[in-house]
Amino acid sequence: MQITSLFKEVLETDEMILDDFKIAPYTIDWRKRYQTSCRCVLRPKSVQSLQKIMRIAYENHIAVTPQGGNTSMCGASIPSVENSVIVILDRISKVRSLNILDKTVTVEAGMVLANVQSFVREAGFYFPLSLASEGSCQIGGNIACNAGGLNVLRYGTMRDLVLGLEVVLPNGDLISHLSSLHKNTTGLDTKQLWIGSEGTLGIITAATLKIYAQANEKITLLVACEEINQVLSLLEKFQFEYMHELTSFEYMSLPVFELSQNYSGISFGLSGQHFVLCELSLDNEQGFNKDLLLEQLLSLGLSNTIIASSDKESQKMWQVRENISEAQKNTLGVSIKHDIAVPISSLQSFIENTELKIKSEFPDAIILLFGHLGDGSLHYNISLARDHSNEVYQYEEKLNQLVYTEVIKCSGTIAAEHGIGQLKKKWLSWVRTEQEIQIMQLLKKNIDPRNIMNPGKVLPD
Ligand code: FAD
Ligand code: MLT
Ligand code: ZN
């Protein structure tokens, strides 16, 4: 029987997208780096429907790619083998419960991150995961990628925010452990397997997440620096002076800052080589001493600073930061992306050495360096002035090698927050030991013996 007919037997008509024209957007990734095909897109209206889908997929060895907001930067969310189906969870997207005393919210996996944030905000609390794609990425995708973003410094990554999980296994069975416990030492913490698994071990359908008190006041500031070591001194100072308040420390190099300012139609009139966007979140009502903050900046030789004087100004600062990826895609076309992290103590030498290596082989390289420097992660994106088309991908392997060699020298990672997907699976063995990869393979074989869950991702072929 045809794949689509098998699903038609158990699903309602509106749970399947069969029209090629309507399927098309689900088969291309955000970057337009990968384009693929699929048999159909399935839109289960309930967890029970999803279980039926997985039972059929399991019995008939049909490859399934779960897709959230399709904002993956490494081709994780679109199929990489033929005859796949894509499963989307936009109809499994409700709030299940809010528990104020436990400080948790339980939401379904298809809920868009921004909707979770606003639900929690309206209830008087704060959900801290925040990324530029928050208007379209979904909680299930955030968990499957162990998303990081702008507030990791204080609240950790998605892994730190998940207390309980509900998952449909490849054979259609359901594991539902939506625990509100902040402590639990009953053997291995099995939910961790699905966090960061990139859709390769099952489909996440709901999660219990930690929520926090809202900040009383937020101070947003943009600091221009001439030297990278000033950026690091600023981080050190803020981590000491504002240990509890510092929630974001985002770095932008000059080319990135200019590109995004131009794209956003915003100019702050700051001059420098390096820019830092910081946020301090204050919990008490005692007011904030801005003069002291300025003095602290001056003591580091940093006089070129703007402290946002209104929400509007703060939003503009964040707009410039959050528009970077779009500005880059729409202005410079294709770029070779890296989502690396190195120990903060190695950042300066990493940045200097990598630039030297790249410029010596690619003198026309435009290095677009930005990211969540406060937690040691950087987006090291490279465009080549000679060409902005897909032809640039012919240099991807060489550029990856140059960047990753420097990353390894610093004991860093090739995927800080975007995951491995199909883009980086060939490089996994550079950062994980043979034994670690074997353990991952063993778990995959055991949980997904028919290799139907998002095959072709994460693990080497
Ligand atoms: P998708 O892209 O749809 O899927 C990603 C992976 O998760 C795939 O492997 C997919 O199969 C799997 N998946 C999706 N839903 C489920 C589910 N319910 N169950 C099991 N597996 C599932 N990431 C960061 O970490 N930090 C950032 O700051 C950041 N900024 C970004 C900015 C922009 C402009 C863009 C486009 C992306 C950014 N990203 C960032 C990357 C991306 O948004 C995140 O990885 C996000 O968590 C992916 O969520 P998604 O719903 O779009 O997942
Ligand atoms: C971001 O931090 O804005 C994204 O993770 C960036 C990207 O690599 O495009
Ligand atoms: Zn990022």
Side-chain angles (χ1 to χ4, degrees):
M1 209 191 276
Q2 266 207 345
I3 289 180
T4 47
S5 312
L6 289 166
F7 291 111
K8 271 183 192 162
E9 286 199 345
V10 296
L11 296 178
E12 289 175 15
T13 325
D14 66 353
E15 294 186 295
M16 297 180 73
I17 303 175
L18 299 167
D19 181 284
D20 284 345
F21 186 70
K22 288 187 181 152
I23 287 175
Y26 298 98
T27 57
I28 183 158
D29 67 325
W30 189 88
R31 293 175 62 196
K32 303 199 179 353
R33 168 77 176 77
Y34 296 99
Q35 182 142 26
T36 183
S37 64
C38 72
R39 284 309 181 96
C40 54
V41 175
L42 303 174
R43 275 184 87 205
K45 60 173 192 214
S46 65
V47 174
Q48 291 73 21
S49 271
L50 176 61
Q51 288 183 269
K52 286 183 199 165
I53 290 172
M54 289 315 303
R55 278 185 207 118
I56 287 183
Y58 186 75
E59 277 160 23
N60 297 280
H61 296 256
I62 301 166
V64 176
T65 294
Q67 187 176 101
N70 196 13
T71 63
S72 166
M73 290 279 181
C74 50
S77 50
I78 59 161
S80 46
V81 301
E82 282 185 2
N83 296 322
S84 295
V85 298
I86 294 175
V87 172
I88 58 171
L89 272 77
D90 60 331
R91 297 173 79 187
I92 303 179
S93 55
K94 290 189 305 288
V95 174
R96 292 218 187 142
S97 62
L98 173 76
N99 193 323
I100 288 173
L101 203 52
D102 289 335
K103 294 268 184 321
T104 58
V105 67
T106 299
V107 297
E108 292 182 336
M111 198 161 171
V112 170
L113 172 58
N115 295 341
V116 176
Q117 294 167 344
S118 54
F119 172 83
V120 173
R121 191 182 318 117
E122 278 157 29
F125 292 89
Y126 176 62
F127 181 62
L129 186 75
S130 175
L131 12 155
S133 56
E134 64 199 21
S136 38
C137 65
Q138 298 175 2
I139 285 297
N142 300 148
I143 296 173
C145 292
N146 184 23
L150 309 167
N151 293 322
V152 169
L153 205 53
R154 166 122 154 218
Y155 299 97
T157 64
M158 195 56 173
R159 192 179 294 285
D160 302 293
L161 301 172
V162 176
L163 290 178
L165 218 52
E166 182 181 272
V167 182
V168 174
L169 295 178
N171 65 4
D173 286 354
L174 184 75
I175 300 183
S176 187
H177 196 94
L178 293 168
S179 160
S180 271
L181 296 174
H182 290 260
K183 272 178 161 180
N184 186 356
T185 56
T186 49
L188 298 183
D189 187 0
T190 49
K191 72 173 180 296
Q192 299 297 343
L193 286 177
W194 283 273
I195 307 177
S197 65
E198 301 184 47
T200 63
L201 297 180
I203 305 191
I204 298 155
T205 49
T208 299
L209 307 169
K210 288 186 202 169
I211 57 173
Y212 293 83
Q214 285 179 359
N216 201 48
E217 188 187 352
K218 286 194 174 184
I219 307 291
T220 315
L221 64 152
L222 196 50
V223 185
C225 306
E226 285 304 326
E227 306 289 340
I228 192 75
N229 62 12
Q230 286 180 304
V231 173
L232 296 169
S233 306
L234 179 64
L235 177 63
E236 197 181 345
K237 180 98 182 156
F238 274 14
Q239 279 180 328
F240 181 72
E241 300 286 351
Y242 301 106
M243 186 166 84
H244 299 294
E245 291 85 3
L246 185 62
T247 40
S248 303
F249 192 96
E250 294 290 314
Y251 168 75
M252 293 169 270
S253 60
L254 177 62
V256 168
F257 188 61
E258 278 182 342
L259 182 80
S260 192
Q261 277 197 128
N262 291 339
Y263 182 79
S264 312
I266 294 171
S267 173
F268 289 104
L270 283 176
S271 64
Q273 294 299 314
H274 309 273
F275 298 83
V276 180
L277 175 58
C278 292
E279 196 151 83
L280 305 174
S281 303
L282 314 178
D283 296 330
N284 59 36
E285 289 179 18
Q286 280 157 13
F288 183 72
N289 191 339
K290 285 190 187 152
D291 292 336
L292 178 64
L293 175 65
L294 286 170
E295 256 173 49
Q296 288 159 343
L297 290 165
L298 274 178
S299 72
L300 298 170
L302 300 170
S303 52
N304 220 348
T305 302
I306 302 175
I307 302 178
S309 55
S310 62
D311 284 351
K312 203 167 159 206
E313 197 172 18
S314 159
Q315 277 158 16
K316 273 187 174 176
M317 291 178 179
W318 278 111
Q319 208 180 325
V320 169
R321 167 61 186 92
E322 296 194 354
N323 278 348
I324 295 172
S325 306
E326 262 192 41
Q328 206 190 319
K329 184 167 87 161
N330 297 337
T331 316
L332 291 176
V334 167
S335 68
I336 307 299
K337 278 185 169 282
H338 304 100
D339 156 44
I340 62 99
V342 296
I344 295 170
S345 52
S346 306
L347 267 169
Q348 183 166 358
S349 60
F350 168 78
I351 293 171
E352 288 167 358
N353 294 340
T354 312
E355 181 166 352
L356 278 177
K357 293 276 159 53
I358 287 171
K359 290 280 187 178
S360 72
E361 302 232 9
F362 294 91
D364 64 332
I366 305 164
I367 298 173
L368 296 152
L369 188 58
F370 66 100
H372 321 285
L373 189 141
D375 62 42
S377 76
L378 282 180
H379 299 303
Y380 203 109
N381 296 344
I382 305 167
S383 291
L384 297 180
R386 73 187 83 166
D387 192 348
H388 299 300
S389 76
N390 283 354
E391 292 295 308
V392 174
Y393 291 129
Q394 67 182 290
Y395 306 110
E396 189 170 44
E397 166 124 6
K398 181 73 206 162
L399 285 163
N400 285 352
Q401 237 169 43
L402 289 170
V403 175
Y404 294 155
T405 301
E406 297 309 311
V407 166
I408 303 305
K409 278 189 201 160
C410 304
S411 309
T413 178
I414 61 164
E417 55 171 16
H418 295 166
I420 296 289
Q422 42 187 315
L423 183 68
K424 289 174 250 173
K425 64 180 182 172
K426 132 163 214 212
W427 304 95
L428 188 68
S429 61
W430 279 41
V431 284
R432 302 305 294 264
T433 65
E434 211 178 308
Q435 292 93 328
E436 284 176 317
I437 294 176
Q438 267 172 20
I439 293 172
M440 291 190 218
Q441 278 163 335
L442 268 174
L443 288 167
K444 168 77 175 165
K445 257 197 180 144
N446 204 281
I447 297 170
D448 181 21
R450 297 186 178 177
N451 193 24
I452 58 168
M453 285 311 312
N454 213 4
K457 311 288 161 47
V458 186
L459 291 166
D461 294 323

